[in-house]
Amino acid sequence: MTGITENIWQAKTVAQRAAEALPESVWFALGYMVLGVVGVAAFIAVLGMGLIYAERKIAGHFQCRLGPMRVGWHGIFQTVADTLKLLLKEDVVPAQADKFLHILAPLFTLLGTILVLAVLPMSPIVHVSDVNIGVVYVGAVSGFGVLGILLGGWSSNNKWSLLGAMRAGAQIISYEISATLALLVVVLFSGTLRLSEIVESQAAGWWIWRAHGVGIVAFLLFFIASLAEINRTPFDIPEGESELTAGFHTEYSGMRFAFFFLAEFINMFIVAALTATLFLGGWMPFHIGDFAGFNAIMDMIPPGLWFTGKTAFLVFLIMWFRWTFPRLRVDQLMRLEWKVLLPIGFANLIAAAVVVLFNFYFFPVR
Amino acid sequence: MMQATDKQENPTRSGLVTAPELKRHGFFRNVFSGIKSLLEGMKVTFHYLSHPSTVVTQQYPENRATLKMMERYRALLTMIHDENGLHKCTGCQICHDNCPNASINVVTRSNPVSGKKELDRYIWRMDSCTFCNLCVQVCPFGVLKMDGSFEGAVYDRRLFVFTLNHYAGPAAGLLAKVADPEERKKMIEPRDRYSGPVPLNGQELAGVKALKKAESGCCGGSGGCCSDSQGSQGSKEMK
Amino acid sequence: MDSANLLTAVAAAEPNAKPREKADRAAVQVPVGNLSALMKRLRNDSTFAFDMLCDHTAVDWSEQGTFELVYQLYSTVHGHYLMVTTSVPRVSPIVPTVREFWRIAEFQEREVYDMFGVLYDGHPDLRRLFLEDDWKGFPLRKDYTDDFMLERPE
Amino acid sequence: MSVHITTLDDRVRLRQDDSSPLSTQEYFVNMGPQHPSTHGVLRLVLKLDGETVREVIPVLGYIHRGIEKMGEHQSYRQFVHLSDRLDYLSALINNWAVSMTIEKAANIELNDRIQVIRTLMAELQRIQSHQLWWGVFGMDLGAFTPFLYGFRDREIIADIFEETVGARLTMNYIQPGGLMYDIHPGFVKRVKAFLQYFKPKLAEYETLLSGNVILQERLRGVGRMDGQTALSIGATGPVLRASGVPLDLRKSEAYGSYGKVAFDVVIGKNGDCWDRYWVRLEEMRQSMKIVEQLIDNIPEGKHMVMKPAVKIKLPEGCYYNQVETARGILGVYIVSDGKESPYRIHLRTPNFNNLWAITETAANWRLGDLVAILSSLDVVVPDIDR
């Protein structure tokens, strides 16, 4: 990275701090680790509740309703109450279910999301672990999610659940390809697999606009494919309520249902955050090449706020989609992936390679 | 994409409107018109998000003070009592006969003084009532009306069977002819909501078990305290 | 065709068909044996062209000991109605199905079987429609009783 | 004699195909009686091959109340309120159907005011019913928001009804011999306000759903049914008209005041889900046209031509009369033996007959299409079961 990035933005992750502290004191290192784990766990719980509340409120106003209004000011504690209710609810495991897998499935789903969260650079100082193959890691561990869904659907011993799980399996695996192709475009641009470096590589401008349209196509591809991966409308066919009652989690109740539910919302955050990191510069402020004055003004806003703002906008966009569109049919979904997104993705990847090869984007840094 | 709003008049048959056909175009036109249609839809929903004044939710029960039911709303059958607490029911039982599902039971008695037939109890079964309004319509004296007080929920469906008239005795018109106030008093006997042959008073009805008689006092007119039907049944059996 | 012409035409097509008395629209009564042939003509003959079986039901005339089966036909081509009725004895109520002429008859006949116990000869899937397969009795018969029936309290 | 009585068990027996180790197996799934998109207690037994629907076997009776049997023990006037409980979304039109049959049989002449108000009410009810259907249709296709928009706009008509009728769903307003009440003084104003309000909303419906590319793709060509099949399967109303058969009793019979107003019959071309969708949307527009023409021209007169306490007795005979409800033709067949209550009363309900179109149209479509087809038929389960 050349001089555009200043060293104050050099990300220092919790894992690094732990590693640095280790020679001095084991307890310090352990403290950092506990901080990381507890931090992520608390973050998930709070974020999940926040997102659910936001979704309900936003959905309400999209639909000329008010949303939750009863618990606390404007229903602000509604999700807390709901969480409490879900925790206290009876956990029903169907008699004919494969009990072990039935219990395991929601844990897998949640695990996938937690592991991804650990590598997300949310700001230079809030970053649990900076893996040098971050992009590959994200692609790999998010597969836990589909494993959980498939297990859940299969172990429920319910044909509706199984249908939902099979739909989810087909859908998530198909769309993973497009998402990866779009991701590769960014990897090509930034020349690194490390997420923090991808962020830093956008110091001269976000990838979405710096590559003559290639970036925006990749952004759209990634966003659409990710929507499909997290089963949000218009791609919510695995749990399409009007078709499969609740799809793969039909037979789940209480806490285990809450796990699926939580994972769904955290996934939404992860998709938004990843998209922001890859294409919208993550915590990087809005910079235009060498315009130092403009860039300095943008730098006044702290990076954490930038990240939050971008993510929040994308989350809102996802919700907006959900409360506007009908859902696709199974075969249309597959057609969209294999006949539309995938060819575009390949063409875009080649175009990106050409752009990188000739150093053709705005404000080339190398 | 063809705009669905285009009306395509069919020239062959007059007075007919034919649905427009959805046409397919080339790949790129499909993609772009498709994206455009999605954005238009998003504009509609965003309009409502950005205009909180379009919210139609009513915050019940907070808005109780301002919530007004329409005057004709049919929620509760009531017997009209005038300012002196007198009704005009003669106990003719036309409503009783016209009720489609026997939700009205008009019990008559002969007056202790004059010996004439008159209303004893007007028992209404709200639980089986369909609010068809026939009783109100057929009443030749305009005794009944449907009231808009819709908050009728109770914890025990036996509380849905109750008496409408406030007193047993002759109708207002007949009573007016009796000059002597002492005589009048003798002719009337007060009736409360949960007295007579209702489950709360130890009577069984079709499909409704009786409540223990001792409990009827505590329920009074408000209802609600007899929520545990199983419990009261159990205590009855123990006796 | 107006109802008088229609009745004449039906009488010409099927001599056994008699006008049904006391009906508010063109109505004929045929013996069960002629029902199938008449229906076929009514459906396929272009002068009748009854392409719609609006309704099919039965009436239990328990005192006469018969079921009267009622078919309401309508032609979207000519816009005329015809009511066809036939009577079968209550003890052995068997009628030929008209499912081959109107697909909906399959289900309307199943309802009549369910409620009256009328058996349809040649019906491909004659089973209860509303009630369970092992229900005893046929509820719309006048003599039907079961434990759940309530008398109107007086 | 070839009468063979079958059972549901016979129908759902699977044929095992072991001819090849790669052979797949079809399976049966119960859709309903509790399922989000059957809208009530409709049970469809589906024979599926993976996602593809091979056969649909409707199993009915979960909300059968024996209205016809009840009718044999009720007076004609009492029976009208039971017709509310058939297709509760067009309760007023059902009232009208029963009342009209009784009036025709008993030779009760009505004045113009009653006819005009009945027509107005029926058209408002039709709009209301289609609004709800529109919302539910969107929801069945995965868009939840239209559902609430539909309900929001439906509420305004419900208020109109509440003001005049005193009820919002089960009205019992149209009675033999007239109407329960005269229209409320605020009726005309409210209806005009509604027309003003709803016109732009209808355009919004078009942008939000009709124009949406996903919806169009979901509906185009799905569940196609030609006119002859539709007639043979007994479909009526928008379902039949979408198949290109312009049968609308409001035009062909011109009962009520329909003969005096100008409106178009809406038909489709292909009989697919899109046509059924579009026909209903356009019918709302046509209904508004009718309301607009009538609302300023309500003639003076009494709202009831006979006393409500008068007992009605029909002359001996049988009477059949039909009315176009929001979902199709409701036929009322009354057999009278001259007594106070009918000897037999039978209701030819539109949904019972429309439902079976699903057995014709849904085969070899996906599960998601089945939901779309079912929703485009717009069945109301209590009307099927009666």
Side-chain angles (χ1 to χ4, degrees):
Chain A
M1 300 295 109
T2 47
I4 301 167
T5 329
E6 290 185 23
N7 271 339
I8 47 157
W9 284 341
Q10 209 65 58
K12 200 164 194 186
T13 64
V14 178
Q16 277 170 349
R17 286 173 207 271
E20 280 166 17
L22 189 60
E24 292 169 27
S25 154
V26 179
W27 296 110
F28 257 43
L30 214 61
Y32 272 121
M33 283 180 194
V34 170
L35 186 74
V37 172
V38 172
V40 169
F43 181 71
I44 282 181
V46 173
L47 183 71
M49 285 194 227
L51 281 175
I52 292 168
Y53 176 72
E55 168 112 64
R56 292 176 67 173
K57 224 42 191 173
I58 287 173
H61 281 276
F62 270 134
Q63 298 168 344
C64 308
R65 296 186 287 119
L66 287 171
M69 286 297 278
R70 290 277 191 267
V71 189
W73 180 81
H74 278 245
I76 196 124
F77 296 117
Q78 183 65 51
T79 41
V80 181
D82 287 350
T83 313
L84 219 65
K85 182 204 76 172
L86 282 172
L87 282 171
L88 298 174
K89 252 178 107 166
E90 187 190 358
D91 176 33
V92 182
V93 181
Q96 298 296 313
D98 188 331
K99 289 203 177 54
F100 179 65
L101 295 183
H102 192 82
I103 289 165
L104 204 62
L107 297 178
F108 267 150
T109 309
L110 200 60
L111 187 68
T113 61
I114 293 175
L115 289 178
V116 177
L117 264 189
V119 298
L120 273 182
M122 297 185 201
S123 109
I125 43 167
V126 186
H127 193 175
V128 178
S129 173
D130 194 13
V131 185
N132 57 357
I133 48 160
V135 173
V136 179
Y137 172 84
V138 167
V141 295
S142 62
F144 268 117
V146 66
L147 193 63
I149 289 173
L150 277 172
L151 276 183
W154 188 82
S155 65
S156 297
N157 203 1
N158 173 331
K159 287 170 187 166
W160 293 114
S161 299
L162 186 65
L163 264 175
M166 290 301 145
R167 281 179 172 194
Q171 173 181 337
I172 294 174
I173 289 166
S174 304
Y175 276 84
E176 201 118 294
I177 301 170
S178 275
T180 315
L181 282 179
L183 229 153
L184 281 181
V185 170
V186 176
V187 174
L188 275 181
F189 285 156
S190 56
T192 175
L193 292 170
R194 197 189 280 266
L195 284 171
S196 61
E197 284 176 11
I198 290 178
V199 173
E200 280 155 23
S201 73
Q202 303 181 58
W206 305 343
W207 289 122
I208 187 170
W209 58 269
R210 258 169 73 192
H212 299 285
V214 176
I216 189 136
V217 172
F219 165 77
L220 287 176
L221 278 179
F222 185 78
F223 197 54
I224 294 172
S226 305
L227 273 186
E229 271 192 72
I230 57 168
N231 309 330
R232 290 285 296 195
T233 314
F235 309 107
D236 63 338
I237 60 161
E239 48 193 296
E241 188 204 300
S242 58
E243 293 163 29
L244 305 180
T245 48
F248 57 86
H249 58 65
T250 307
E251 297 288 358
Y252 281 91
S253 58
M255 204 49 222
R256 286 180 223 296
F257 167 74
F259 277 178
F260 275 124
F261 200 58
L262 190 63
E264 193 184 315
F265 276 86
I266 301 297
N267 274 335
M268 184 167 75
F269 169 79
I270 286 174
V271 163
L274 260 183
T275 316
T277 306
L278 297 172
F279 296 96
L280 303 179
W283 44 259
M284 190 64 73
F286 185 72
H287 285 178
I288 306 177
D290 308 317
F291 298 105
F294 176 79
N295 292 353
I297 295 170
M298 285 293 146
D299 289 349
M300 311 261 262
I301 303 169
L305 218 59
W306 275 103
F307 176 82
T308 316
K310 290 168 191 175
T311 312
F313 171 72
L314 289 172
V315 165
F316 173 73
L317 210 59
I318 296 174
M319 290 177 182
W320 193 0
F321 288 162
R322 172 161 180 193
W323 299 111
T324 307
F325 299 146
R327 80 170 67 86
L328 274 78
R329 204 169 59 207
V330 177
D331 55 327
Q332 288 168 345
L333 187 90
M334 288 295 153
R335 202 168 67 213
L336 178 70
E337 162 62 15
W338 296 103
K339 287 191 175 169
V340 180
L341 295 189
L342 196 64
I344 294 178
F346 272 120
N348 196 47
L349 187 62
I350 293 167
V354 171
V355 166
V356 173
L357 201 62
F358 294 102
N359 228 342
F360 199 48
Y361 39 74
F362 302 120
F363 314 114
V365 283
R366 269 171 305 200
Chain B
M1 181 199 71
M2 180 172 230
Q3 266 301 322
T5 41
D6 288 355
K7 257 189 243 173
Q8 198 181 328
E9 296 291 344
N10 188 334
T12 55
R13 275 210 187 94
S14 61
L16 286 182
V17 189
T18 313
E21 280 210 68
L22 293 174
K23 294 202 175 71
R24 275 185 218 269
H25 304 286
F27 179 83
F28 286 103
R29 200 169 154 199
N30 275 347
V31 169
F32 283 112
S33 65
I35 290 175
K36 187 169 159 265
S37 75
L38 296 182
L39 291 177
E40 275 169 0
M42 287 168 70
K43 211 174 108 193
V44 171
T45 42
F46 191 75
H47 170 82
Y48 288 111
L49 179 79
S50 55
H51 290 75
S53 60
T54 55
V55 167
V56 292
T57 310
Q58 294 191 12
Q59 290 275 69
Y60 180 81
E62 284 89 337
N63 66 349
R64 260 204 191 119
T66 55
L67 184 68
K68 275 258 179 331
M69 297 311 277
M70 307 282 181
E71 52 186 306
R72 290 180 184 174
Y73 190 70
R74 314 203 284 259
L76 185 75
L77 184 65
T78 40
M79 184 173 278
I80 302 167
H81 287 76
D82 59 18
E83 62 274 15
N84 303 322
L86 302 180
H87 60 68
K88 288 193 277 183
C89 182
T90 59
C92 68
Q93 293 185 320
I94 293 179
C95 50
H96 179 127
D97 295 340
N98 269 281
C99 182
N101 41 24
S103 297
I104 292 170
N105 192 9
V106 177
V107 184
T108 53
R109 64 167 197 179
S110 53
N111 190 283
V113 180
S114 63
K116 280 184 187 156
K117 189 185 144 194
E118 63 185 23
L119 177 69
D120 183 8
R121 287 196 172 85
Y122 194 102
I123 295 164
W124 180 48
R125 288 192 60 173
M126 193 182 183
D127 58 347
S128 64
C129 181
T130 54
F131 302 93
C132 69
N133 214 26
L134 277 183
C135 47
V136 179
Q137 277 185 293
V138 295
C139 182
F141 308 105
V143 169
L144 299 166
K145 73 164 195 201
M146 279 285 182
D147 193 78
S149 46
F150 60 94
E151 289 170 327
V154 287
Y155 283 102
D156 188 332
R157 71 186 175 123
R158 286 171 291 201
L159 298 172
F160 279 139
V161 189
F162 49 80
T163 308
L164 294 185
N165 55 326
H166 296 174
Y167 70 91
L174 277 177
L175 212 55
K177 287 180 191 155
V178 183
D180 183 14
E182 280 302 309
E183 188 93 331
R184 271 193 199 184
K185 228 171 223 170
K186 271 185 213 157
M187 291 171 104
I188 330 183
E189 199 181 323
R191 288 280 176 264
D192 72 14
R193 197 172 156 93
Y194 291 109
S195 66
V198 302
L200 269 183
N201 213 10
Q203 301 265 337
E204 291 208 356
L205 290 179
V208 184
K209 282 255 161 58
L211 255 182
K212 204 167 47 127
K213 198 171 180 181
E215 281 180 8
S216 64
C218 80
C219 287
S222 61
C225 69
C226 304
S227 57
D228 187 9
S229 61
Q230 285 301 318
S232 60
Q233 284 302 309
S235 61
K236 191 186 172 193
E237 278 161 19
M238 267 161 57
K239 272 196 171 175
Chain C
M1 264 191 274
D2 62 14
S3 57
N5 283 339
L6 193 61
L7 285 178
T8 329
V10 174
E14 180 56 65
N16 284 325
K18 305 266 179 308
R20 192 204 186 277
E21 307 285 313
K22 290 176 187 161
D24 64 338
R25 57 183 65 211
V28 291
Q29 202 168 11
V30 281
V32 185
N34 302 99
L35 181 74
S36 211
L38 176 66
M39 285 303 202
K40 191 172 181 180
R41 282 205 69 172
L42 291 177
R43 172 76 183 85
N44 297 328
D45 199 325
S46 63
T47 53
F48 299 118
F50 284 107
D51 45 11
M52 212 171 137
L53 175 62
C54 281
D55 193 15
H56 168 50
T57 188
V59 183
D60 180 9
W61 295 105
S62 52
E63 279 170 25
Q64 285 98 311
T66 55
F67 288 125
E68 186 185 25
L69 298 167
V70 184
Y71 299 82
Q72 308 279 359
L73 304 178
Y74 177 69
S75 163
T76 53
V77 183
H78 303 297
H80 52 210
Y81 287 97
L82 181 67
M83 184 167 115
V84 179
T85 69
T86 185
S87 285
V88 287
R90 285 183 102 231
V91 280
S92 62
I94 299 180
V95 269
T97 177
V98 296
R99 184 209 179 265
E100 53 200 295
F101 313 127
W102 299 278
R103 179 95 162 70
I104 187 64
E106 176 180 344
F107 310 106
Q108 293 177 345
E109 285 171 355
R110 270 177 63 192
E111 188 193 345
V112 175
Y113 161 68
D114 194 3
M115 293 295 158
F116 290 92
V118 177
L119 300 172
Y120 287 88
D121 194 0
H123 194 285
D125 181 26
L126 191 64
R127 63 188 154 93
R128 295 272 190 180
L129 185 67
F130 294 131
L131 301 171
E132 288 113 70
D133 284 332
D134 54 354
W135 191 272
K136 296 271 187 300
F138 300 100
L140 279 183
R141 289 190 180 187
K142 289 280 175 190
D143 53 3
Y144 175 82
T145 48
D146 68 26
D147 300 342
F148 315 111
M149 286 175 88
L150 284 176
E151 285 297 311
R152 184 189 164 100
E154 280 310 321
Chain D
M1 192 185 96
S2 61
V3 177
H4 175 62
I5 291 160
T6 54
T7 59
L8 185 61
D9 291 344
D10 299 337
R11 289 297 302 275
V12 297
R13 205 157 286 157
L14 273 177
R15 196 164 36 81
Q16 197 85 31
D17 181 12
D18 296 327
S19 54
S20 136
L22 289 176
S23 61
T24 56
Q25 199 188 1
E26 290 172 340
Y27 60 104
F28 284 97
V29 165
N30 269 319
M31 186 166 162
Q34 278 87 32
H35 188 278
S37 61
T38 54
H39 304 296
V41 283
L42 175 63
R43 175 178 168 205
L44 302 173
V45 179
L46 308 179
K47 189 188 197 180
L48 294 179
D49 180 8
E51 276 272 343
T52 314
V53 178
R54 293 289 179 220
E55 197 184 354
V56 183
I57 308 170
V59 180
L60 308 178
Y62 288 89
I63 190 164
H64 193 274
R65 294 144 298 170
I67 284 182
E68 293 174 10
K69 186 85 177 177
M70 279 198 249
E72 292 174 11
H73 301 275
Q74 305 216 319
S75 76
Y76 290 104
R77 197 181 292 282
Q78 287 172 346
F79 182 75
V80 175
H81 92 284
L82 286 178
S83 70
D84 285 334
R85 274 103 185 142
L86 296 168
D87 173 358
Y88 47 78
L89 295 177
S90 41
L92 274 168
I93 314 182
N94 297 348
N95 291 167
W96 195 1
V98 176
S99 303
M100 203 202 285
T101 315
I102 295 166
E103 283 153 8
K104 279 191 177 171
N107 272 323
I108 300 169
E109 284 290 321
L110 301 176
N111 61 31
D112 273 357
R113 184 179 180 82
I114 295 173
Q115 296 286 19
V116 168
I117 294 174
R118 283 183 178 188
T119 313
L120 269 172
M121 287 293 184
E123 287 315 301
L124 287 173
Q125 181 91 79
R126 193 181 312 275
I127 298 173
Q128 193 194 29
S129 165
H130 285 344
Q131 282 170 337
L132 182 78
W133 160 83
W134 180 81
V136 169
F137 191 69
M139 194 172 70
D140 282 346
L141 293 174
F144 194 79
T145 305
F147 181 68
L148 287 139
Y149 290 177
F151 259 93
R152 177 197 64 192
D153 300 339
R154 183 180 185 275
E155 204 67 4
I156 295 169
I157 299 189
D159 283 345
I160 296 176
F161 287 152
E162 191 188 323
E163 192 181 38
T164 288
V165 181
R168 297 168 76 87
L169 198 68
T170 52
M171 321 265 188
N172 191 28
Y173 177 63
I174 297 177
Q175 296 177 331
L179 309 161
M180 179 191 283
Y181 295 116
D182 204 351
I183 50 169
H184 193 272
F187 177 77
V188 175
K189 208 177 114 212
R190 259 181 205 271
V191 171
K192 281 186 179 161
F194 166 75
L195 291 175
Q196 278 266 305
Y197 166 86
F198 190 55
K199 266 185 197 151
K201 289 287 182 273
L202 203 53
E204 205 177 88
Y205 285 13
E206 301 270 12
T207 347
L208 187 62
L209 266 193
S210 323
N212 191 304
V213 65
I214 300 174
L215 183 103
Q216 293 183 349
E217 286 300 317
R218 286 285 310 266
L219 302 186
R220 183 208 310 266
V222 170
R224 198 171 284 204
M225 180 165 65
D226 62 47
Q228 278 310 308
T229 318
L231 279 172
S232 170
I233 202 76
T236 48
V239 180
L240 178 65
R241 288 194 283 275
S243 295
V245 182
L247 172 63
D248 192 330
L249 292 181
R250 293 177 294 167
K251 259 297 193 253
S252 63
E253 306 269 296
Y255 58 91
S257 299
Y258 288 117
K260 295 177 195 155
V261 289
F263 68 101
D264 298 327
V265 176
V266 192
I267 60 168
K269 261 197 187 120
N270 306 316
D272 54 3
C273 282
W274 167 255
D275 278 351
R276 291 194 276 272
Y277 172 84
W278 198 83
V279 163
R280 288 207 180 84
L281 268 194
E282 182 61 28
E283 271 189 12
M284 282 197 243
R285 223 168 261 133
Q286 298 296 341
S287 292
M288 287 210 286
K289 226 160 112 184
I290 297 175
V291 173
E292 264 175 357
Q293 290 171 51
L294 290 177
I295 191 67
D296 285 324
N297 306 311
I298 304 176
E300 292 300 315
K302 283 199 289 189
H303 69 275
M304 196 77 171
V305 296
M306 58 191 289
K307 283 222 168 71
V310 173
K311 295 222 157 70
I312 302 173
K313 283 187 185 174
L314 300 192
E316 218 174 301
C318 54
Y319 309 95
Y320 184 69
N321 190 49
Q322 302 187 125
V323 153
E324 184 84 25
T325 76
R327 279 164 192 75
I329 292 175
L330 174 69
V332 182
Y333 179 66
I334 296 179
V335 179
S336 165
D337 56 353
K339 298 212 179 74
E340 262 175 48
S341 48
Y343 184 76
R344 163 108 173 94
I345 188 158
H346 175 73
L347 298 151
R348 181 246 184 251
T349 51
N351 289 305
F352 175 77
N353 294 274
N354 284 355
L355 169 74
W356 305 101
I358 195 124
T359 60
E360 287 282 332
T361 51
N364 297 329
W365 288 102
R366 308 286 162 144
L367 197 58
D369 293 324
L370 174 77
V371 172
I373 295 170
L374 186 66
S375 198
S376 75
L377 295 178
D378 192 15
V379 290
V380 169
V381 184
D383 199 37
I384 298 171
D385 277 3
R386 279 161 283 149

